[in-house]
């Protein structure tokens, strides 16, 4: 149907009585659909009838049935299905390779028709609504925003509902929900933030104080009680308090940790300084410091240090503690006694094994210059404080309460809402306090009502912008939440106010500045947590019998390696090929020993050039990746292969057909996972996908569930005793079972003998990896997946990146400069 005919019909109908705008919209949809139907019969149906319908009609069991597939591209599900059809035909993935190839003329006509209508439909929607819906702050962003706005550090994210897991990133607006549960949670989180920001309690003791473990009254009572119970694992010497128990869990019989936790009642940053040494040790031991809370089951390792035999070491750490938090100490990496006996069977007094001796420990904080703290003074403005009879503080105002509330809103409002306040807007917000003030509840409660409303308002919770180009303030917001996960700082807002942020050179300078700021670590951690599933590092707990070497120190080292590796790629603008293989990584002694790489001492991380024969290098062989792609007991090529396809290459496999069970490895060591998969692949419905899934999974079989390299599976049943030692003693927990076979053949028929060969075969896929990584950056930063209308712009960025070897930093710059980023 020609444009002339469309226009003529519209002219006639617009002139008809009672024909309104709503009818016109319906007409356009109908005409577009009719147009597509006509072209489909002329140019698309020949392809469907010749190459598709035999396998995709009502009589076949597939997810696609052309007999009832709609042509109305305004329907999102219909659009996605036709988009998928286009992609598979264009990539020559459909029809399957074993089938007869379609006539090129028929194929090209169908693709051209589909491309035209998919693009036009996608462009029309973007013009009307923008690329993305209005995006909400994620709960991580909400916490960081309030930390930066109010100068606090409390746990707010856990007070909010979990984010949707239906897409890779929680920033995708179309998958973000809002409910009454969210609203109540935002109000509760805002209350907690305000409580922490306005600290008027009595001044705490802030000078350094000695924590005397040896002679402290409560320590002595606890020590004597443990001694009477026969479970003593600590020792008091002439100069120290010695810990032998490397299990830092809290005792089930008491609110104390098993080695005397120190509790906090006032939030803030604290400094802990300890003097410690390795006790009765011939090898280095590890001194650990944990933070925990009665309301949270999870403990957090906040510091670990290597103690060398015969050397006293002073260590220092600053950390933010919240009310209810406590810290406690624990040893790690302790070698066993020659007889293999433990401290529980002997008792600390006669135990000859290794331990950590604490000679001195001081605690200082909260680290404030004055009281009430700076965060309270900054928020409340020009007020005075008066000490009450019980030592707590009250606020003395120089203005009326309403005037002071207006002044507070005038200062923090522009930062909270990420834009200048409109005329009389401070008065409008302050008016919310009027009923409170009239009831006599005072300035503090009146301010709370206003702040509570501000911090749970739609303008605070959402990135609001009209379709089209972002103004400078909206651009500052998008940029800041991309790289800092928080609100724009003063410099970004200053540039936005002057209308300069949309200048490409200014934008480039700001991206470089922001990437160098320590807050960019938030982007690194949040992006990797979701892209590479690192947030699932604790989803499974390794079996203590099969993997006794796994502990909190190793877990933390796993994550640190991947984060530092990615940060280095940004800093040095390294290409995405390093994701496949690299000649370096970041290690400390604990992780280097796990990898079998000699010459790395201490627990501080450093960049290490990998030995030429090492199987490590790139992302795939990092322990964090290997841990999240396995369960705590065994590995399977299926989840690891699926991870490579979906997370790195952007080609996720289809879900298994209905009724097909999963493949579970045999931990008794009787059969290998390869043997079980061979039987699984004999089913025709499974074979096609497993041709793609299994090869990368097989290549990674050389790595166990905690990322250690292996040539034989560990077994709880059959097998040989390991000849290696663990913690200075023979391994008793597991046996060595069947040999590992990491060989295979790619879907293209290329054989490989193991992970080194497989990484070599993956290098030609660098372009595909770069495309997917760029797609991920676009989706994460803009709040919307790459849409059909974006493909031309995305491909332009990809061509530009290819000329620069797909440098990561350059790709971040390119995304920020793109129309996709700079438009709603």
């Amino acid at each position: 149907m020609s444009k002339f005919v469309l226009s003529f019909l519209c002219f006639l109908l617009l002139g008809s009585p009672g024909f309104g705008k709503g009818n016109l919209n319906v007409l356009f949809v109908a005409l577009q659909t009719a147009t597509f139907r006509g072209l489909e019969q002329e140019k698309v149906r020949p392809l469907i009838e010749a190459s598709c319908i035999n396998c995709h009609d009502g009589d076949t069991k597939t997810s696609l049935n052309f007999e009832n597939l709609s042509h109305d591209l305004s329907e999102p599900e219909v659009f996605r299905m036709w988009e998928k059809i286009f992609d598979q035909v264009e990539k020559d993935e459909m029809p399957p390779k074993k089938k007869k190839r379609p006539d090129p003329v028929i194929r090209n006509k169908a693709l051209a028709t589909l491309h035209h209508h998919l693009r036009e439909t996608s462009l029309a929607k973007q013009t009307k609504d923008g690329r993305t819906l209005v995006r909400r702050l994620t709960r991580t962003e909400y916490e960081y925003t309030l930390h930066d706005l109010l100068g606090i550090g409390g746990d707010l994210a856990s007070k909010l509902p979990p984010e949707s897991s239906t897409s890779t990133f929680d920033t995708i607006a179309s998958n973000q929900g809002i409910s009454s549960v969210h609203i109540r949670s935002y109000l509760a989180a805002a209350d907690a933030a305000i409580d922490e920001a306005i600290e008027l309690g009595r001044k705490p003791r802030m000078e350094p104080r000695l924590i005397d473990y040896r002679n402290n009254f409560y320590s002595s009572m606890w020590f004597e009680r443990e001694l009477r119970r026969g479970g003593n694992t600590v020792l008091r010497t002439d100069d120290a308090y010695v810990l032998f128990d490397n299990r830092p869990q809290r005792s089930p019989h008491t609110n104390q940790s098993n080695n005397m936790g120190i509790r906090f009642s006032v939030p803030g940053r604290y400094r802990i300084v300890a003097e410690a040494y390795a006790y009765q040790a011939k090898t280095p031991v590890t001194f650990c410091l944990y933070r925990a809370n009665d309301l949270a089951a999870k403990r957090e390792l906040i510091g670990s240090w290597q103690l060398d035999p015969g050397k006293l070491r002073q260590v220092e750490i600053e950390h933010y503690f919240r009310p209810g938090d406590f810290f406690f100490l624990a040893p790690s990496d302790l070698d066993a006694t020659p007889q293999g006996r433990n401290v529980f069977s002997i008792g600390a007094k006669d135990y000859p094994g290794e331990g950590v001796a604490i000679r001195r420990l001081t605690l200082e904080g909260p680290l404030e210059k004055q009281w009430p703290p700076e965060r309270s003074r900054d928020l409340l403005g020009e007020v005075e404080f008066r000490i009450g009879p019980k030592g707590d503080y009250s606020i003395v105002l120089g203005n009326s309460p309403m005037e002071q509330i207006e002044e507070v809103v005038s200062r923090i409002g522009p930062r909270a809402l990420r834009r200048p306040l409109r005329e009389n807007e401070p008065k409008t917000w302050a008016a919310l306090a009027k009923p409170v003030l009239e009831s006599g509840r005072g300035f503090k409660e009146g301010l709370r009502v206003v702040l509570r409303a501000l911090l749970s308002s739609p303008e605070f919770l959402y990135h609001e912008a009209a379709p089209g180009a972002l103004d400078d303030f909206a651009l500052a917001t998008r940029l800041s939440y991309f790289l800092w996960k928080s609100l724009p700082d003063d410099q970004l807002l200053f540039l936005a106010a002057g209308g300069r942020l949309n200048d490409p050179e200014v934008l480039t300078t700001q991206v470089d500045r922001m990437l160098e700021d320590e807050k960019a670590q938030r982007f690194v951690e949040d992006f990797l947590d979701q892209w590479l599933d690192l947030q699932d590092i604790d989803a499974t707990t390794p079996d203590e019998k099969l993997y006794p070497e796994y502990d909190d120190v190793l877990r933390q080292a796993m994550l640190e390696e991947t984060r530092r590796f990615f940060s280095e790629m940004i800093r040095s603008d390294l290409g995405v090929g390093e994701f496949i293989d690299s000649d370096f990584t970041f290690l400390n002694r604990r992780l280097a020993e796990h990898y079998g790489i000699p010459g790395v001492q201490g627990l501080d991380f450093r960049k290490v050039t990998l030995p030429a024969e090492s199987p490590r290098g790139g992302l795939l062989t990092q322990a964090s990746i290997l841990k999240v792609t396995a369960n705590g007991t065994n590995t399977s090529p299926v989840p690891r292969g699926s991870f490579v396809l979906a997370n790195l290459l952007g080609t996720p496999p289809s879900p298994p057909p209905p009724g097909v069970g999963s493949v579970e490895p045999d931990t008794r060591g009787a059969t290998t996972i390869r043997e079980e998969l061979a039987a699984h692949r004999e089913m025709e419905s499974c074979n096609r996908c497993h041709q793609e899934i299994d090869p990368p999974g097989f290549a990674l079989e050389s790595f166990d569930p905690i990322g250690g390299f292996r040539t034989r599976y560990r077994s709880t049943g059959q097998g040989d005793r390991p000849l290696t030692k663990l913690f200075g003693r023979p391994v008793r927990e597991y046996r060595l079972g069947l040999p590992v076979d990491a060989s295979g053949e790619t879907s293209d028929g290329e054989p490989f003998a193991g992970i080194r060969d497989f990484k070599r075969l993956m290098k030609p896929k660098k372009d595909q990896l770069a495309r997917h990584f760029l797609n991920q950056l676009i989706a994460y930063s803009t709040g919307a997946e790459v849409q059909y209308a974006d493909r031309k712009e995305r491909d332009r960025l990809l061509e530009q990146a290819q000329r620069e070897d797909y440098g990561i930093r350059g790709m971040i710059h390119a995304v920020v400069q793109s129309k996709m980023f700079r438009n709603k």
Side-chain angles (χ1 to χ4, degrees), residues 527-534 562 619 625 628 643 647-648:
F527 182 76
L528 294 182
D529 276 357
Q530 298 185 73
W531 173 43
L532 300 179
D533 297 334
L534 298 189
T562 306
L619 285 176
I625 306 298
V628 300
F643 178 91
N647 297 57
L648 292 186

Side-chain angles (χ1 to χ4, degrees), residues 364-379:
E364 181 183 2
L367 301 176
E368 299 288 348
K369 296 178 181 178
Q370 56 185 331
W371 200 260
E374 290 296 321
R375 63 178 182 273
S376 301
R377 296 172 182 270
D378 290 343
L379 174 62

Side-chain angles (χ1 to χ4, degrees), residues 311-327:
K311 295 181 180 179
L312 180 68
R313 181 176 180 185
Q314 178 174 298
V315 299
E316 179 178 324
I317 187 173
E318 286 188 14
H319 194 78
Y320 198 98
F321 291 95
R322 303 143 185 159
D325 282 353
F326 58 94
F327 77 82

